[in-house]
């Protein structure tokens, strides 16, 4: 039933609007409340913020449903909405849309450097190295578990019980791990840029194909970027890294990454790049927030 | 009557601030007259330099180049008209509308807000120079601030203009016409085209169209009340009788009324050069005082602006030394200013005042200057005119003496309770004389009008007698018809009696009846017998003594006494066909039969004694200032309670103890009667002493300038002075007073113009209503201000904490404006409808300098007690929202820099979630909304606690003032609309708030209520204690 609602809703709202609702959404709390439900029920229920909205929604839902049941659900949602039993966990300002961010990050999203002048790119390397310390294979092996890919890593149990985290090893990033090439390709004008999704407690991507990353020139000549290598090669975030239980219990959680290796980019000119998430239910074209499901940055590699 | 014509004035309604300046302008304008305050007395004298009354007709003809028979030629008249201008009073100089408007734009807090707006634009300018893509936020804010100023300015201007219109409609132009001789022809021309030298004819009922020197007259009498305030008819003739042009009989003054007779005169002055015109310009030369409420509001603005600027600058310095950028610091400064300034308050005050003004207008007090609404409440001295204000401005029979007995007559407005004994035969005779020896007549066609309201042709005394007998005897005209008049000698000043001869009612009785009335001593001289119990008795010595005692007694009451006598002529000597000749007096006028005495007085209005008593219990000193005779003045003062029954003057004590006046200890006397003559020789210090030492004072025989001196004397005592008056002569005093009150019916336009308030029913009792409303509005304004100031702290703290602790901004500047100008407006107006907590008419008037509208108790209690509690409550909501969204309060500390960095799009919260800049901004707006709702919810509690200052809410009644609930509903509805209706408009930075956040501040609201109840409880329990002194505002 919920799935049905979801699909009915989806086209009904432009993304901008949906996004706005998302910001205050109760997705997570619903999600957590629904923990007992079967895995297929993982579809997320959107609870709009407005009461009126909710009522309208409820009316829609109740069509063809036994009235008592509809009322009961309505009441339940109202109660959840007004008085959230989940006190420990964030009330999920974050919504169901993934926001993404990239590394290295140095105050701006413009990557200007001169291959022949290490000073201009050294700080990117340091930043990446620092960022990846937590992903060192030894550390990951010691702290985290190797969980089966392709499915959620759901951990039932008490809320305040510590949760295990899945390994994401630095070595997954291959050429961009900094292990083989300590300059992450910057010394050769083939920079690595890591993409991560902002953590949202309790949120899970939809089942099916994992979320993929795809980059292209944002504006201008498509051929400015001739090739990109993604690591892990699937260019996707595996489902086993979800859901995130919050840093209080999910202490060693390591955000999964996708590295983009720009191996052949036009030099000596600014190339605007847009990396988008692709997948079922992924929103990546919100105007007010440029980081919903995508990230835009420029590469200006001088030689 | 004068009201109808003196249209020439248009109404000037200035805010107090303008008045000062206009006055300066006026001063300049009238520089040639040199109307400096100190010279006023001399000025008035100089203005009356007029010698036309001494000239002969020929000299006049020569002087004005006219001819008494043929008048001016049209050409000549046109020439004069071009030279002197039209015969109208130039209206008081009006402040141009645009200036009035601009003044609203810069008054009060506007300057601060303008500074804020300009700073905003400067900040944007700097930002723009550094970064072309700078956000337009500060431009919006600047525009909003400017709009706020402009809109509140327009609002205040509109309010003022509205009350101006009330007054403007009050005096509608009725074109006046004059009958003039020009080119040897009688013409009717508009009075404003009259020129000097014109020969005009006037008749009874006309308004004298200019200052004229009379050339001839037939029984002409004028009513100079518009000039002197006394409506006693004065005869006018062509003879020069007095050096003083004001006293001489051969001058008629512009705007006075000709009551009866006809006259011809030559115009000697027109327009502003007339006596009235000069007094009018004297009035506009007198600076009117700033109203007390204006002073209070200024004081309040200073306090708030002082706090705003000093906190602003302090935190500007702190911000700069905390290494914030100067630009950011400027923006903080703006935030602090906006948070501190109660933008909506001045508009609220205006609305509150105009609501009261409306309420007062319903009770016949028309308020011209809104601020005057409160002035009446703080009035501590009322200088009341006698005639027409305290009294009914007509004569009425007060006492009768016959059968050696004084009887009292009913002098109330309708005179229906004539309770004296009417069975005596003497009364039958007396009533017949009263009815017959009277030339006054009702104007025809008034059958359905109550007797007292009928218009009478005749002078005041005769009118009084006519109405008196009409009430008692019924149709007087019928009686006169039955007793046909055969001859008559009208009253004249040499005879001092009036006589008429009538046939008797009984057709069988062929006697003639001679009836006579006049000055009692003259009448008595002509009598040889006296009627006692219907029987004629010889006039013995004892009877004469009784007569004198009665005469003295009635005279001592300040009453005008008339004697009445009659004589039945013997039938044989005076047969039916006897030719009576009034010139030859071929009938006896002595050895008549004395019947009785009758005394008349201008009776006090029936509501006045009660009103005076109320004023007294309200701690207001009522001083009577009149041009009338001291004895009359004192008698009226006693009868209305201006001098209370138990009080004595120095003279009374002297008489009682039979000692010389000088020997009396002045401290023993509570009352004093001061005449204009005494006042003239007094130094200001002596006047001060009198005003300070006597609680009951009557000033008699005063001139317009002396009224001014008295008002100034009272103002030197730090008193707030109200002056009532109706004549043009009162207008300088009306203007000088803190509040001038003019009579709406009897008042001249000059008086109404100079006044701040007009009593539509001429009733002194309306003043008491005004005082009550004025006091109530002062109390309620206190409540309104306390209510409004409270949230300032809750609005200010976010900025201070933002600067010092580095939290994400809890509330935005624009959101603040939505509280100040949105949710808070209607509730603060609603407080104006609050009923008084206790009997406000039983306490003293507030002291101008000690009982401030905003005292430090009010400021401290509002700012530091309730204000801080409110700030805490609002922060609670704010922290709740942030914590529930993932940011615990501890994580917010010093988060500001990272929070506001646009490039940072994965700021981690307390749960490890990562936030983009836009998400954070949205959360920030949600925080604004939450903080806003927090303040709003607590302002509801604040509103309820402000209903009373001393009593418990339960004593006052929660539901008695329904408007409060409208206010509360409006608060909630506006907030709901802002959050859910406009939650999607980015520029307003409101978001849809989850319902539970609306309830977070409620415990705090309850706490505020309980806290204030406890405060009030202790104030009531321990009056005079430290608590009472410091916690009662």
């Amino acid at each position: 039933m919920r799935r049905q609602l979801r699909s009915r809703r989806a086209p009904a709202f432009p993304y901008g609007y949906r996004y706005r609702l998302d910001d205050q959404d109760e997705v997570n709390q619903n999600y957590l409340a629904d923990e007992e439900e079967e895995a297929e029920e993982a579809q997320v229920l959107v609870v709009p913020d407005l009461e009126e909205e909710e009522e309208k929604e409820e009316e829609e839902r109740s069509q063809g449903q036994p009235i008592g049941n509809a009322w009961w659900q309505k009441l339940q949602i109202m109660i959840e909405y007004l008085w959230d039993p989940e006190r420990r966990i964030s009330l999920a300002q974050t919504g169901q849309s993934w926001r993404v961010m990239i590394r290295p990050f140095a105050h701006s999203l413009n990557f200007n450097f001169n291959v022949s002048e290490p000073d201009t790119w050294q700080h990117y390397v340091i930043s990446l190295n620092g960022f990846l310390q937590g992903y060192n294979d030894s550390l990951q092996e010691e702290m985290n578990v190797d969980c089966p890919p392709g499915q959620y890593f759901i951990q039932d149990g008490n809320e305040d019980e510590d949760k295990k985290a899945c390994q994401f090893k630095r070595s997954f990033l291959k050429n961009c791990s900094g292990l083989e090439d300590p300059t992450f390709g910057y010394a050769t004008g083939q920079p690595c840029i890591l993409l991560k999704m902002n953590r949202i407690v309790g949120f899970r991507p939809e089942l099916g194909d994992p979320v993929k990353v795809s980059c292209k020139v944002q504006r201008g000549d498509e051929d400015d970027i001739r090739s990109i290598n993604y690591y892990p090669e699937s260019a996707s975030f595996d489902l086993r890294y979800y859901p995130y239980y919050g840093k209080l219990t999910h202490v060693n959680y390591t955000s999964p990454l996708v590295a983009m290796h720009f191996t052949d980019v036009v030099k000596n000119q600014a190339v605007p790049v847009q990396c988008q998430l692709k997948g079922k239910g992924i929103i990546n074209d919100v105007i007010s927030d440029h980081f919903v499901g995508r990230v835009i940055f420029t590469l200006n590699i001088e030689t | 009557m004068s009201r109808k014509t003196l249209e020439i004035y248009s109404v000037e309604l200035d805010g107090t601030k303008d008045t000062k300046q206009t006055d300066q302008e006026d001063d300049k304008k009238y520089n040639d007259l040199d109307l400096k305050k100190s010279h006023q007395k001399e000025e008035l004298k100089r203005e009356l330099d007029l010698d036309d009354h001494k000239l002969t007709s020929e000299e006049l003809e020569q002087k004005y180049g006219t001819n008494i028979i043929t008048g001016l030629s049209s050409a000549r008249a046109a020439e004069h008209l071009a030279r002197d201008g039209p015969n109208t009073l130039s209206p008081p100089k009006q402040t141009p509308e645009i200036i009035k408007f601009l003044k609203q734009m810069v008054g009060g807090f506007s300057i601060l807000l303008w500074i804020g707006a300009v700073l905003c634009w400067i900040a944007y300018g700097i930002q723009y120079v550094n970064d072309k893509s700078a956000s337009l936020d500060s431009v919006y804010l600047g525009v909003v601030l400017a709009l706020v100023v402009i809109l509140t300015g327009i609002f205040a201007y509109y309010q003022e203009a509205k009350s101006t219109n009330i007054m403007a409609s009050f005096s509608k132009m009725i074109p006046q016409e004059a009958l003039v001789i020009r080119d040897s022809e009688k013409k009717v021309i508009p009075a404003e085209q009259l020129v000097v030298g014109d020969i005009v004819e006037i008749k009874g009922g006309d308004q004298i169209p200019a200052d004229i020197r009379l050339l001839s007259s037939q029984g002409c009498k004028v009513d100079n009340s518009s000039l002197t305030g006394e409506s006693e008819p004065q005869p006018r003739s062509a003879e020069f009788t007095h050096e003083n042009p004001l006293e001489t009989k051969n001058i008629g003054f512009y705007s006075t009324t000709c009551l009866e007779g006809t006259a011809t005169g030559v115009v000697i002055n027109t327009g502003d050069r007339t006596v009235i015109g000069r007094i009018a310009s004297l009035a506009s030369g007198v600076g009117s005082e700033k109203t007390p409420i204006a002073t209070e509001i200024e004081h309040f603005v200073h306090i708030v602006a002082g706090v705003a600027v000093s906190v602003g600058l302090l935190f500007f310095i702190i911000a700069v030394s905390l290494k914030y950028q100067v630009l950011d610091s400027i923006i903080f400064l703006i935030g602090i200013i906006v948070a501190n300034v109660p933008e909506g308050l001045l508009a609220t005050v205006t609305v509150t005042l105009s609501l009261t003004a409306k309420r007062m207008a319903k009770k016949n007090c028309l308020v011209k200057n809104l601020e005057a609404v409160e002035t009446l409440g703080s009035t501590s001295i009322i200088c009341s005119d006698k005639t027409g204000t305290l009294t009914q401005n007509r004569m009425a029979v007060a006492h009768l003496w016959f059968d050696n007995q004084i009887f009292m007559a009913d002098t109330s407005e309708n005179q229906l309770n004539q309770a004296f004994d009417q069975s005596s035969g003497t009364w039958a005779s007396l009533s017949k004389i009263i009815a017959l020896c009277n030339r006054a007549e009702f104007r025809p066609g008034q059958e359905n009008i109550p007797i007292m309201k009928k218009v009478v042709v005749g002078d005041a005394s005769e009118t009084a007698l006519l109405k008196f007998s009409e009430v008692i005897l019924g149709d007087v005209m019928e009686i006169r018809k039955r007793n046909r008049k055969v001859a008559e000698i009208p009253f004249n000043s040499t005879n001092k009696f009036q006589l008429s001869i009538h046939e008797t009612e009984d057709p069988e009785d062929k006697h003639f009846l001679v009836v006579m009335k006049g000055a009692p001593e003259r009448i008595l001289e002509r009598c040889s017998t006296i009627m006692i119990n219907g029987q004629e008795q010889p006039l013995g010595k004892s009877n004469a003594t009784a007569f004198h005692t009665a005469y003295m007694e009635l005279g001592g009451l300040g009453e005008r006494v008339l004697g009445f006598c009659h004589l039945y002529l013997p039938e044989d000597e005076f047969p039916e066909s006897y030719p009576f000749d009034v010139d030859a007096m071929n009938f006896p006028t002595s050895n008549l039969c004395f019947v009785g005495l009758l005394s008349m007085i201008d009776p006090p209005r029936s509501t006045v004694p009660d009103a005076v008593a109320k004023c007294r219990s309200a701690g207001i000193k009522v001083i009577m200032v009149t041009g009338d005779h001291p004895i009359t003045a004192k008698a009226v003062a006693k009868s209305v309670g201006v001098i209370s029954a138990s009080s004595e003057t120095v003279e009374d004590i002297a008489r009682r103890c039979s000692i010389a006046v000088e020997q009396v200890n002045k401290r023993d006397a509570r009352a004093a009667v001061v005449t204009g003559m005494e006042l003239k020789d007094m130094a200001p210090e002596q006047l001060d002493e009198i005003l300070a030492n006597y609680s009951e004072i009557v000033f008699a025989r005063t001139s317009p300038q002396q009224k001014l001196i008295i008002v100034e004397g009272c103002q030197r005592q730090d008193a707030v002075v109200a002056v009532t008056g109706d004549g043009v002569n009162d207008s300088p005093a009306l203007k000088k007073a803190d509040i001038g009150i003019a009579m709406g019916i009897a008042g001249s336009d000059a008086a109404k113009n100079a006044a701040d308030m007009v009593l539509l029913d001429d009733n002194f009792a309306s003043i008491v209503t005004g005082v009550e409303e004025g006091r109530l509005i002062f109390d309620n304004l206190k409540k309104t201000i306390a209510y409004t100031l409270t949230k300032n702290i809750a609005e200010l703290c976010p900025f201070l904490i933002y600067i010092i602790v580095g939290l994400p901004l809890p509330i935005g500047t624009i959101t603040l404006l939505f509280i100040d100008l949105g949710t808070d407006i209607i509730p603060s107006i609603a407080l104006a409808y609050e009923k008084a907590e206790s009997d406000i008419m039983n306490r003293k008037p507030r002291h101008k300098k000690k009982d401030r509208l905003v005292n430090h108790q009010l400021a401290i209690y509002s700012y530091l007690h309730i204000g801080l509690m409110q700030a805490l409550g609002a922060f609670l909501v704010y922290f709740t929202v942030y914590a529930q969204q993932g940011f615990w309060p501890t994580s917010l500390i010093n988060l500001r820099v990272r929070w506001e960095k646009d490039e940072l799009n994965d700021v981690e919260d307390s749960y490890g979630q990562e936030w983009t800049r836009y998400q954070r901004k949205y959360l920030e707006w949600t925080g604004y909304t939450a903080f806003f709702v927090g303040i709003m919810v607590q302002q509801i509690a604040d509103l309820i606690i402000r209903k009373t200052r001393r009593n418990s809410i339960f004593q006052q009644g929660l539901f008695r003032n329904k408007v409060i609930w409208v206010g509360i509903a409006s608060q909630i509805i506006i907030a709901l609309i802002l959050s859910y209706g406009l939650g999607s408009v980015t520029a307003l930075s409101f978001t849809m708030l989850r319902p539970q956040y609306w309830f977070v501040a409620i415990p705090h609201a309850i706490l505020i209520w309980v806290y204030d109840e406890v405060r009030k409880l202790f104030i009531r329990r321990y009056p005079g204690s430290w608590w009472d002194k410091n916690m009662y505002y």
Side-chain angles (χ1 to χ4, degrees), chain B residues 301-348:
Chain B
V301 168
H302 284 163
I303 291 179
V304 172
V307 171
V309 170
S310 46
V311 172
L313 287 181
L314 179 69
F315 276 85
F316 182 77
I317 293 164
I318 290 177
V320 170
S321 48
L322 283 176
K323 306 236 160 44
Y324 283 95
Q325 285 188 351
V326 175
L327 199 67
D328 287 340
S329 309
I330 288 178
I331 291 176
F332 303 156
L333 181 66
I334 297 164
I336 289 171
I337 289 177
V338 173
N340 255 307
V341 171
E343 288 83 6
L345 189 60
L346 294 187
T348 313

Side-chain angles (χ1 to χ4, degrees), chain A residues 134-148 153 164-172 238 240-241 250 252-257:
Chain A
Y135 289 83
N136 284 338
D137 290 18
S138 54
L139 191 69
Q140 286 293 320
E141 277 160 13
E142 182 192 330
M143 308 292 294
N144 293 345
V145 293
D146 187 12
C147 24
F153 185 46
K164 292 188 198 96
C166 287
Q167 291 175 358
F168 190 97
K169 293 181 184 169
R170 190 167 175 171
S171 55
F172 291 177
D238 197 286
R240 62 181 163 171
Y241 298 106
H250 218 162
N252 293 320
Y253 181 81
T254 321
S255 289
L257 303 170

